[in-house]
Amino acid sequence: MQQQYESTFLVIGGGIAGVSCIETLTFLCPDQKIILVTESKLIKTVTNLVPLAKAVSRFDIEERNAETLKGNLTVLVDRMVSVNSTTKTVVTEKGIEVKYKLMCLCTGARPKLIDQAADNPLVIGIRDTESVLEFQKRIKHSKRIAIVGNGGIASEIVYEIRNIAIHWVIKDSFISQSFVDPGAAELFQCKIRNKSNVQSETKTTFKRLRYDEDGQSDNKSGGALGPDWHRTLDLDGGEREMPDSVVVHKNCEVRSMSMENEQLAVTLTNGEKIICDFLVSATGVNPSLNFITDVPFELAGDGGILVDELMKTSIDGVYAAGDVCTAGWDKAKHWFQMRLWTQARQFGSMAGKSMAAALEGNEIYQDFCFELFGHVTQLFGYQVVLLGRFNGQDLGRNYEVLIRTTPDLEYIKYVLVDGKVVGAILIGETGLEETTENLILNELDVTPYGDDLLNPDIDIEDYFD
């Protein structure tokens, strides 16, 4: 006999977006029945939340057993395979049928492998718990690897792993281009050059696999990685005495791959050839829509489920949050979408508020966090805070920049349009997060201050807080 469940709220996915949605629903509707369908019993929860300003916070992501989630919640470790929006029913891989009143899809995204991968066993993507554990296993027996990609995960891998030779292939002219500009990249480049010395001084704890309550490593695919995903892992390569080396191959991509003596031979578009034990493809993600529906969703150009400002999809009673969805509303001047864990948390919380309001017939408005893009992460040992149009996104050439940098300590960049700050990169412990946020949101004309705006001898917080 087919198992059946009924719920008021159904959440699909135990990543950051899904858990944030559940926590919000539990707070707003404590008596309503919630069901979580997750492929892994390990879910992602936000811990150590530290607000740096109104729209930006620093936090950690911790893996916990799904049973630790509080509230009137039932957890099904399973995968949804189909949705019937007419009967408001989903069916899982194990044949369980779940009825819902309102549902939120938080199925995340999957690694977008390079075209040349073609199911090559020596090419892996890194996105979730399963892929990270596979990566850790492989580097134990490797001396040389190639990494393709120039975003946050690629940058973290290059900096964190030791005792292994790395070939880093990027299509840009400088590293970490997804987040920073050439000036900040030079600050990071210094950390790569001094990688061995820095890590030998700072690595004081042994990083190991995280285990579940049964004592077995959890190898199910889970939610997207959060900040410091590498903290619990031993990322040492197979040659303990091998000096760290990083060769950056700029302005090129992978042209072809072949096998040579059980190793992977990678030919680049600039003609260079790399021999490695395996290749990590860290070239972005695709929204994960690994289920069928009776009515097709309206999709965005990037393949994500299109949502409005309240996270509603085109199907009645169905919401979406996190990497699986694409913002389809008229966006605020200083906000845009990137598939990051900070936005997954914001999307999930907003979806929870919307679902609670819909159940009670209340009208709500979009959260303030969608007024200003804000992201906090760690790159190459530095705190990195990104605000607004931090790299002049969508501004063409109609902007100017002010920069202050102190070698090995900090890098500060303000992006200005018509004398007003519209974006910023703050690297290091600058303490300027709240002041900078105020400058952007209040649209203050800072023209009278000129270059003194970032003069280290002037405390701009006194002027603009």
Side-chain angles (χ1 to χ4, degrees):
M1 181 177 177
Q2 187 180 47
Q3 281 186 282
Q4 292 185 332
Y5 291 84
E6 289 191 12
S7 66
T8 303
F9 302 118
L10 173 61
V11 177
I12 309 297
I16 300 168
V19 172
S20 297
C21 182
I22 288 172
E23 290 174 341
T24 303
L25 288 170
T26 299
F27 177 76
L28 295 175
C29 304
D31 298 327
Q32 297 297 332
K33 178 68 176 177
I34 304 172
I35 291 180
L36 167 65
V37 176
T38 172
E39 293 184 42
S40 169
K41 67 182 73 174
L42 294 181
I43 49 91
K44 310 284 187 177
T45 60
V46 172
T47 62
N48 303 323
L49 182 67
V50 179
L52 300 180
K54 293 178 184 177
V56 62
S57 298
R58 181 178 65 228
F59 57 84
D60 297 326
I61 297 296
E62 187 174 296
E63 279 187 340
R64 293 180 181 172
N65 191 292
E67 302 295 342
T68 62
L69 286 173
K70 298 178 181 179
N72 189 10
L73 175 71
T74 299
V75 178
L76 302 178
V77 181
D78 204 343
R79 184 178 72 85
M80 181 183 74
V81 295
S82 65
V83 179
N84 187 318
S85 61
T86 304
T87 60
K88 292 196 171 182
T89 304
V90 306
V91 177
T92 71
E93 200 168 49
K94 295 178 182 178
I96 298 173
E97 184 179 278
V98 183
K99 290 185 174 294
Y100 65 89
K101 291 184 180 178
L102 298 169
M103 176 172 64
C104 187
L105 297 172
C106 305
T107 52
R110 292 288 180 263
K112 182 169 58 179
L113 299 182
I114 58 175
D115 295 337
Q116 295 79 5
D119 298 322
N120 191 314
L122 295 184
V123 177
I124 65 171
I126 293 186
R127 178 63 182 175
D128 51 26
T129 303
E130 180 183 23
S131 56
V132 165
L133 298 184
E134 176 63 23
F135 172 68
Q136 180 179 242
K137 291 176 186 176
R138 294 201 184 200
I139 63 172
K140 292 299 174 192
H141 308 287
S142 301
K143 299 179 181 179
R144 184 175 292 103
I145 68 171
I147 299 171
V148 180
N150 203 16
I153 288 180
S155 299
E156 289 169 325
I157 292 173
V158 168
Y159 181 65
E160 289 294 331
I161 63 176
R162 303 190 305 159
N163 306 321
I164 200 164
I166 301 171
H167 289 273
W168 190 5
V169 180
I170 62 176
K171 64 181 180 180
D172 311 294
S173 57
F174 58 93
I175 63 174
S176 306
Q177 187 268 347
S178 297
F179 289 141
V180 300
D181 59 10
E186 182 55 35
L187 188 73
F188 296 159
Q189 195 83 44
C190 292
K191 279 294 185 79
I192 292 179
R193 289 193 285 266
N194 299 319
K195 182 179 171 185
S196 298
N197 296 333
V198 171
Q199 288 197 338
S200 62
E201 293 171 1
T202 59
K203 191 177 179 72
T204 57
T205 59
F206 177 68
K207 298 183 178 181
R208 61 189 183 278
L209 269 170
R210 186 182 294 273
Y211 288 86
D212 64 22
E213 71 278 7
D214 298 322
Q216 302 295 321
S217 60
D218 189 294
N219 61 359
K220 299 290 185 182
S221 59
L225 304 173
D228 298 328
W229 57 270
H230 41 71
R231 184 172 48 193
T232 57
L233 301 175
D234 178 10
L235 296 180
D236 286 355
E239 289 293 323
R240 298 294 174 180
E241 303 303 320
M242 185 172 184
D244 296 315
S245 68
V246 180
V247 178
V248 182
H249 303 267
K250 302 177 182 178
N251 299 309
C252 61
E253 299 180 68
V254 174
R255 174 181 292 164
S256 62
M257 295 186 295
S258 61
M259 297 296 296
E260 287 189 10
N261 300 321
E262 298 185 351
Q263 288 185 303
L264 188 64
V266 182
T267 302
L268 306 181
T269 52
N270 62 2
E272 293 183 88
K273 187 176 182 180
I274 300 169
I275 304 296
C276 58
D277 296 303
F278 70 95
L279 181 145
V280 177
S281 178
T283 51
V285 296
N286 289 318
S288 181
L289 298 171
N290 57 345
F291 52 86
I292 59 175
T293 61
D294 60 331
V295 178
F297 286 103
E298 183 179 354
L299 301 180
D302 61 4
I305 299 174
L306 206 62
V307 295
D308 66 11
E309 67 276 8
L310 299 182
M311 303 297 140
K312 296 179 183 177
T313 71
S314 57
I315 296 179
D316 182 54
V318 180
Y319 296 70
D323 289 353
V324 73
C325 71
T326 300
W329 63 86
D330 292 332
K331 302 170 189 64
K333 182 191 301 185
H334 304 299
W335 187 90
F336 58 95
Q337 184 178 8
M338 291 181 73
R339 285 181 163 83
L340 304 166
W341 55 83
T342 45
Q343 290 191 347
R345 174 175 171 264
Q346 293 166 350
F347 278 45
S349 178
M350 186 69 239
K353 292 176 183 178
S354 298
M355 294 164 73
L359 182 71
E360 298 170 0
N362 297 330
E363 183 179 0
I364 63 169
Y365 300 96
Q366 193 176 56
D367 283 353
F368 178 78
C369 64
F370 294 98
E371 289 294 312
L372 174 68
F373 174 90
H375 181 59
V376 183
T377 188
Q378 285 278 130
L379 290 176
F380 299 93
Y382 294 102
Q383 174 178 280
V384 178
V385 179
L386 309 174
L387 293 170
R389 307 282 173 173
F390 61 90
N391 262 338
Q393 289 92 341
D394 300 322
L395 298 179
R397 296 185 178 182
N398 183 35
Y399 67 91
E400 58 181 327
V401 299
L402 288 179
I403 293 175
R404 184 177 94 200
T405 182
T406 306
D408 301 322
L409 183 64
E410 66 177 13
Y411 181 87
I412 302 169
K413 182 180 84 169
Y414 279 1
V415 179
L416 297 94
V417 174
D418 297 329
K420 299 174 183 178
V421 180
V422 298
I425 297 175
L426 309 175
I427 300 177
E429 301 297 329
T430 67
L432 292 174
E433 296 84 12
E434 188 171 7
T435 298
T436 305
E437 180 187 75
N438 288 337
L439 286 174
I440 297 172
L441 291 175
N442 295 335
E443 299 188 355
L444 296 173
D445 188 350
V446 297
T447 303
Y449 301 94
D451 294 344
D452 283 337
L453 187 63
L454 290 182
N455 187 331
D457 297 324
I458 298 176
D459 190 353
I460 65 171
E461 295 179 57
D462 294 339
Y463 289 95
F464 300 115
D465 264 356

